[in-house]
Amino acid sequence: MKITLKIWRQKKADTKGKLVAYDLNNIDPKQSFLETLDTLNQQLIAKGEEPVAFESDCREGICGVCGLYISGTAHGPLRETTTCQLHMRTFKDGETITVEPWRAKPFKVIKDLVVDRSPFDRIIQAGGFVSVNAGNAPDGNIVPISKKAADTAMDAAACIGCGACVAACKNGSAMLFVAAKVAHLAHLPQGSIEGQKRVRAMIAQMDAEGFGSCTNTYECGAVCPKGISVDFIAEMNRRWLGATLFDSK
């Protein structure tokens, strides 16, 4: 198949970027989107031009670093699919595909399609630690956890922190990411001890990083490659309100 890629090129954070068009021929519909970028880069290197900078790691839909804005949608047109799991058969022969980095003020562009997502790391760090008893390793399943609580915690823990929720939100809100990280520990007895402190600290760090507010447009949930429910945002708000009203620490 034949395609045209219009890709955001930007040398570094403080330089002006622009979209540059590249025509590619003989693209195999079975190859992934990232393999297509690899194909383009091989051609650019052969011509003595600078390859397009983009991030990738696991290429199995687990790590989320491959996140790109593809033709106006975070991670591309398929629901609950990361960019690395997107294949060229999704697109039409002769189609022009626009590829941009995450568009959010806290995610500064480092180069081309690579953005700085360290604000997410600082939010996680603000969440602090989980208390455990020192000594010998406890027996498996010694702490009783209900099936419902375990399932809810695992649903929230599925968040891979790719940043698609932020990039898709018109306000650049990180509420879905923070809500998932708050919930997956708060539903377990090991993580509930510091639960009130954690939710206040993570929301304070989110605000300090410059992420916007949630206005319930639900675009974050629509583009999340792991299907994280927006219900976690409401839960996080309830936990934050409770922590603010009843915890004086």
Side-chain angles (χ1 to χ4, degrees), residues 87-141:
H87 290 80
M88 298 312 295
R89 57 179 174 268
T90 307
F91 303 96
K92 298 176 182 175
D93 186 26
E95 186 171 346
T96 296
I97 305 168
T98 303
V99 189
E100 302 167 87
W102 282 163
R103 295 179 291 185
K105 188 176 180 180
F107 293 158
K108 308 294 184 187
V109 173
I110 298 174
K111 184 176 182 180
D112 294 337
L113 304 175
V114 180
V115 300
D116 178 10
R117 284 181 288 185
S118 59
F120 271 13
D121 296 333
R122 290 191 287 273
I123 292 173
I124 294 294
Q125 290 167 1
F129 53 85
V130 173
S131 290
V132 295
N133 292 323
N136 294 332
D139 293 337
N141 301 320

Side-chain angles (χ1 to χ4, degrees), residues 119 122-124 126 200-211:
R122 290 191 287 273
I123 292 173
I124 294 294
R200 287 184 309 181
M202 293 183 78
I203 289 179
Q205 188 64 39
M206 175 183 70
D207 292 340
E209 297 289 349
F211 291 103

Side-chain angles (χ1 to χ4, degrees), residues 200-233:
R200 287 184 309 181
M202 293 183 78
I203 289 179
Q205 188 64 39
M206 175 183 70
D207 292 340
E209 297 289 349
F211 291 103
S213 301
C214 174
T215 49
N216 296 319
T217 59
Y218 299 158
E219 188 65 21
C220 54
V223 301
C224 176
K226 295 301 174 184
I228 304 295
S229 171
V230 295
D231 290 346
F232 286 120
I233 296 177

